[in-house]
Amino acid sequence: MNGLVELNVKQRAKMERFLTRMGEVLGRKLKVSIKTISMDYDRKGEGVERVPARTDGTNVDISPAAMDWSNPVRAWLQTKGFFYHEVMHSVADPMGGYKAGDARGLREVLNMLGDEVGEVRFAEMYPGARSYFALNVYELILRDIARGKDADVPMDPRSYAVLYGRRSFLPKRLMAMARAYMRTKFAEAQVQRVEQLIDGYQAAASLKT
């Protein structure tokens, strides 16, 4: 379902004003825009990747197409979660956004780690954000990314690496299930190595605060 079709101009403007005020409450003066967006991750022209939201520290763009507006309440909660995530990049992200150079693989890994650490920090500062982050984990990471193409597979084995750093605000049952799925494709030593790497990154990032 196309989010832009479901939202009229007045609705988008109302959401933008509300989120702008939220930013002010959080001590950030931001220009919020609800619009379809894309981000060019590949400088060689191999295509663009759709993203639900982005920020440059001054502007926050959120794509309504990332949400299913057949359930307006849930979609609005997701929108707020994406907004919190983007504000997090200027408040609690140890990397301060995308600063990993030109190597796409390295950039994706470091961005994943930065997202995990940043969301945990932000949730500690603003506990109300936890439920929004958790909802977007369920909706975006598990449903749209981690699940993959096979409808009979509820979770991609690699999902655990994305969830592990966020375990402080995710259900223990979900974490146990994600770890078990990872073990279907990777040895226990590899799973533990992933945990060690994420723990190490989080510990190193905490030294910067």
Side-chain angles (χ1 to χ4, degrees):
M1 183 173 295
N2 189 325
L4 285 175
V5 172
E6 296 302 311
L7 289 174
N8 61 41
V9 174
K10 289 184 178 180
Q11 288 172 319
R12 292 203 302 272
K14 184 177 180 179
M15 292 168 63
E16 289 169 351
R17 288 195 299 270
F18 181 87
L19 294 174
T20 296
R21 289 196 295 270
M22 282 180 58
E24 292 172 353
V25 171
L26 296 172
R28 292 293 182 274
K29 187 175 182 179
L30 302 164
K31 176 177 171 51
V32 181
S33 300
I34 307 295
K35 63 182 183 181
T36 296
I37 58 176
S38 63
M39 183 175 291
D40 187 356
Y41 283 111
D42 192 333
R43 297 183 181 181
K44 296 181 180 179
E46 295 181 3
V48 297
E49 179 176 334
R50 293 287 181 183
V51 293
R54 66 182 178 188
T55 185
D56 59 8
T58 301
N59 302 284
V60 173
D61 299 330
I62 302 174
S63 173
M67 283 73 79
D68 180 0
W69 289 92
S70 63
N71 186 334
V73 173
R74 193 175 186 84
W76 172 235
L77 294 176
Q78 281 186 265
T79 300
K80 291 174 70 175
F82 290 134
F83 176 75
Y84 278 134
H85 179 89
E86 297 308 319
V87 174
M88 171 276 293
H89 281 299
S90 64
V91 175
D93 182 355
M95 287 178 59
Y98 297 93
K99 295 182 179 178
D102 294 330
R104 177 172 179 174
L106 177 60
R107 178 168 61 240
E108 290 178 345
V109 170
L110 291 179
N111 186 57
M112 179 194 79
L113 292 170
D115 281 352
E116 294 182 20
V117 172
E119 287 188 3
V120 170
R121 284 183 177 179
F122 193 87
E124 290 173 349
M125 297 165 63
Y126 306 102
R130 292 183 180 184
S131 59
Y132 296 102
F133 287 152
L135 174 62
N136 282 348
V137 165
Y138 302 144
E139 291 292 324
L140 184 65
I141 297 176
L142 295 183
R143 187 190 68 183
D144 295 337
I145 297 178
R147 184 172 182 177
K149 298 179 181 180
D150 190 346
D152 295 326
V153 179
M155 188 180 299
D156 187 297
R158 295 165 296 182
S159 301
Y160 185 62
V162 181
L163 303 180
Y164 181 73
R166 297 176 167 95
R167 64 193 181 280
S168 63
F169 58 77
L170 294 176
K172 292 182 179 180
R173 182 178 179 182
L174 173 64
M175 296 306 304
M177 183 173 69
R179 195 180 197 282
Y181 273 106
M182 190 170 188
R183 281 288 287 110
T184 65
K185 296 293 183 180
F186 300 93
E188 174 64 23
Q190 291 175 298
V191 176
Q192 291 183 12
R193 181 57 178 159
V194 168
E195 293 171 337
Q196 291 168 358
L197 288 171
I198 295 174
D199 286 341
Y201 182 89
Q202 292 182 325
S206 68
L207 297 176
K208 298 181 179 181
T209 59

